[in-house]
Amino acid sequence: MTIGSFATAGPADLRSDTVTRPGPGMRAAMAAAEVGDDLFGEDPTVRALEERLAGLFGFAGALFTPSGVMANQIALQLLVRPGEELVCDAEAHVLAHEEASPARYGGIQTRTVSADRGVITPALLAGVVRRGNPYTLGTRAVEVEQTHTRAGGTVHPLETLRAVRELTADLGLAVHMDGARIWNAMAATGTPARSYGETADSLSVCLSKGLGAPVGSVLLLPPEHLPRGRKLRHGLGGGMRQSGILAAAGLYALDHHTERIAEDHEHARLLAAGLRDAGFTVRPPETNIVLVDVPGADRVVARAAEEGVLVTAPGPDTVRLVTHLDVGREACRRAVEVLAATRTEIVTRARITAPAGHL
């Protein structure tokens, strides 16, 4: 390929599965949504979304929120009191991408473990959980992420989650599951939603990633937590009025977009295979996130963007590509060719400009 051959083509946006745009059917559902004031509990479309997801995952309560960050932080504040401890993976989204909110807003101390592929296991927990006393801070809850973003969309196996649940129950600890991409885990493993729901005291599910809705997450929780959960949502700025317009997108996505998530995984495998054939070192994707080891990742990302291929660099030597409903086989092919050509161009330029003996 000659660099620049895709300059007139539309962008292939693989930065995240959050970049999807609602199609005509979803927009029509949003426009037709029956609405009311949700702070008064009067929005029927919001209530329908909450009830549907609660039933799907086996919870008795649910709370619609503007974002997954808010859903996670409400859950943590419900489960962990100020001055108590949360255990999670060192690369967990609630730590790496949520603006220090557990400490800032919840007064929560975090204790981390370095989990292989982000998967929390009972063996890891057994070595770090602390029993509190008048002189020692006690662990109150454990957080798990499904799928794990920074590990590359890895899946917590159901049996591992069940074992964690058994251990935490014995120790009197709560479990929160950040299920932002739980739809991908379900598609990859065939695990029913209710089976995942049984392994957690609270569970946040995102509508704006694999499902392709424009905004929103739902926090699933026991009904006794709902009054305080609503209060926390309001205090964090998440109280909305006629939010059924947004909830309608989530309902549409549940009806039309869950079955097709497996296509994203297929496209991720195509990307990984193509990049591997092009000479890249690629971590095998479990779901829809592809991590590629690329020295000088920021330069590769910037140059690829000039050619209409949008990716990210979560680390100095790592490029990330995420498949979603707006990415097809052609976009994957373009991404492989542009990244291969970009890397070749950068390496060639470095050889030309480097002093003798430095390459």
Side-chain angles (χ1 to χ4, degrees), residues 32-304:
E34 185 180 359
V35 298
D37 191 313
D38 184 47
L39 276 189
F40 289 126
E42 296 174 354
D43 193 300
T45 308
V46 171
R47 299 286 83 80
L49 175 66
E50 291 173 339
E51 291 170 7
R52 180 166 175 183
L53 284 170
L56 183 65
F57 285 91
F59 281 80
L63 187 63
F64 182 52
T65 66
S67 72
V69 171
M70 184 178 291
N72 284 336
Q73 295 308 317
I74 291 171
L76 296 184
Q77 290 186 53
L78 289 171
L79 299 178
V80 187
R81 293 187 293 268
E84 293 181 329
E85 184 177 76
L86 172 75
V87 171
C88 61
D89 177 57
E91 294 295 324
H93 192 282
V94 296
L95 292 187
H97 300 292
E98 300 194 9
E99 310 301 331
S101 293
R104 181 185 298 181
Y105 301 118
I108 297 168
Q109 173 166 298
T110 51
R111 192 174 192 196
T112 62
V113 295
S114 296
D116 181 33
R117 298 167 32 256
V119 176
I120 299 286
T121 65
L124 281 174
L125 294 178
V128 299
V129 167
R130 286 191 278 218
R131 296 182 181 272
N133 59 46
Y135 311 102
T136 305
L137 185 70
T139 302
R140 183 65 188 89
V142 174
E143 187 268 356
V144 297
E145 189 174 330
Q146 185 78 303
T147 64
H148 195 292
T149 302
R150 291 181 65 83
T154 53
V155 177
H156 271 78
L158 180 60
E159 290 309 311
T160 300
L161 292 171
R162 285 173 169 166
V164 167
R165 179 67 163 176
E166 183 177 356
L167 174 65
T168 54
D170 289 343
L171 296 175
L173 308 182
V175 175
H176 171 62
M177 184 182 297
D178 175 1
R181 291 187 174 89
I182 199 166
W183 315 103
N184 295 92
M186 291 162 59
T189 64
T191 301
R194 187 174 288 264
S195 295
Y196 281 139
E198 291 170 350
T199 66
D201 294 278
S202 61
L203 168 62
S204 61
V205 296
C206 187
L207 306 169
S208 62
K209 292 187 173 71
L211 291 187
V215 66
S217 286
V218 175
L219 174 60
L220 307 171
L221 69 174
E224 60 267 26
H225 284 320
L226 271 174
R228 184 163 178 251
R230 292 186 183 281
K231 191 74 172 175
L232 288 168
R233 183 183 68 173
H234 187 262
L236 292 170
M240 298 180 287
R241 301 298 182 173
Q242 289 73 37
S243 47
I245 293 173
L246 302 175
L251 287 168
Y252 181 92
L254 288 171
D255 288 335
H256 297 90
H257 292 169
T258 55
E259 296 298 324
R260 57 143 308 279
I261 288 177
E263 297 175 14
D264 298 339
H265 300 174
E266 178 187 354
H267 292 154
R269 291 190 291 269
L270 287 173
L271 272 173
L275 290 166
R276 197 176 295 114
D277 290 344
F280 289 93
T281 299
V282 184
R283 304 174 211 180
E286 292 186 33
T287 51
N288 68 320
I289 299 176
V290 181
L291 297 180
V292 188
D293 295 332
V294 183
D298 286 336
R299 289 181 297 163
V300 172
V301 168
R303 187 67 185 93

Side-chain angles (χ1 to χ4, degrees), residues 1-2 5-6 9 12 14 266-275 278 280 307-309 321 323 327-341:
M1 158 190 165
T2 302
S5 65
F6 289 127
L14 294 108
E266 178 187 354
H267 292 154
R269 291 190 291 269
L270 287 173
L271 272 173
L275 290 166
F280 289 93
E307 301 301 317
V309 171
L321 304 91
T323 56
V327 168
R329 299 174 71 92
E330 174 61 18
C332 294
R333 184 186 70 82
R334 289 178 53 207
V336 169
E337 293 189 6
V338 166
L339 287 174

